[in-house]
Amino acid sequence: MKTTLLYLLFCLSTSVFHPFADWFLYKNQQMSIEFPQEPNITTQSVPTAVGDIEMKIASFESKNEADSNLAYVFIASDYPDSLINSGKKELLPQFFRASVDGAEKNVNGKLISEKEISIEGFPGREVNVDYGNGQAIISFRMYLVHNRAYFIQTLSETEKAANKDAIRFMNSFKLQR
């Protein structure tokens, strides 16, 4: 009886702390990333100074308050190759600065941290932005692979930021070769 009770407690505790047993693999010919559940896929055209940029968006919003993150978002956007490309090293600081500043401004947030990262030799940034005056943290990684920008982000309540599901989501992003 005692063994059965301990087993039940173990099963209950692991189901509370691991709400997503089987993650959903979202992939195409260029990349792959794991979501806690199947994401909603949309396309949005965004007007810019260089013309409309099409954003392919995969997102999953959690409805369960016990979940570690409120949302998981992946965005891929192609820019004109003549405008920006990961090989144009002299343009990269300005591109990333504008991207981080724009993300911060779009949510009326405050930059908490930013560091340079890379994936398979392609440049990127890892950023944390305070959202809602301390209510939440938007964490994102962005990479520029040739002329395609990838954004991987989570939205978490401040006290739940940098949790293992957010880390798994961020680390699951892979380029396909």
Side-chain angles (χ1 to χ4, degrees), residues 68-164:
S68 301
N69 301 293
L70 304 169
Y72 301 78
V73 180
F74 170 78
I75 302 170
S77 301
D78 289 335
Y79 289 86
D81 191 58
S82 59
L83 176 69
I84 190 67
N85 185 300
S86 54
K88 297 180 179 184
K89 306 288 186 207
E90 71 281 1
L91 300 177
L92 297 180
Q94 181 183 355
F95 171 78
F96 284 115
R97 180 80 273 129
S99 296
V100 171
D101 291 348
E104 182 182 2
K105 183 180 176 184
N106 285 345
V107 298
N108 198 25
K110 182 179 176 192
L111 182 66
I112 298 170
S113 66
E114 175 183 357
K115 72 177 184 178
E116 290 186 17
I117 58 173
S118 66
I119 187 167
E120 295 185 23
F122 293 103
R125 297 292 185 273
E126 182 173 270
V127 178
N128 290 294
V129 174
D130 171 77
Y131 175 70
N133 294 316
Q135 292 182 357
I137 302 290
I138 298 171
S139 298
F140 67 92
R141 291 180 185 171
M142 62 178 156
Y143 301 100
L144 184 62
V145 178
H146 303 295
N147 65 318
R148 178 170 289 149
Y150 293 108
F151 296 86
I152 303 106
Q153 70 181 39
T154 58
L155 173 63
S156 311
E157 293 174 2
T158 301
E159 63 276 2
K160 294 181 181 178
N163 61 74
K164 75 175 187 169

Side-chain angles (χ1 to χ4, degrees), residues 23 32-34 117-119 126 141 143 152 154 163-175:
W23 284 49
S32 66
I33 190 167
E34 292 180 351
I117 58 173
S118 66
I119 187 167
E126 182 173 270
R141 291 180 185 171
Y143 301 100
I152 303 106
T154 58
N163 61 74
K164 75 175 187 169
D165 287 337
I167 293 166
R168 176 176 177 173
F169 178 66
M170 298 281 184
N171 289 343
S172 74
F173 178 71
K174 306 285 187 249
L175 297 175

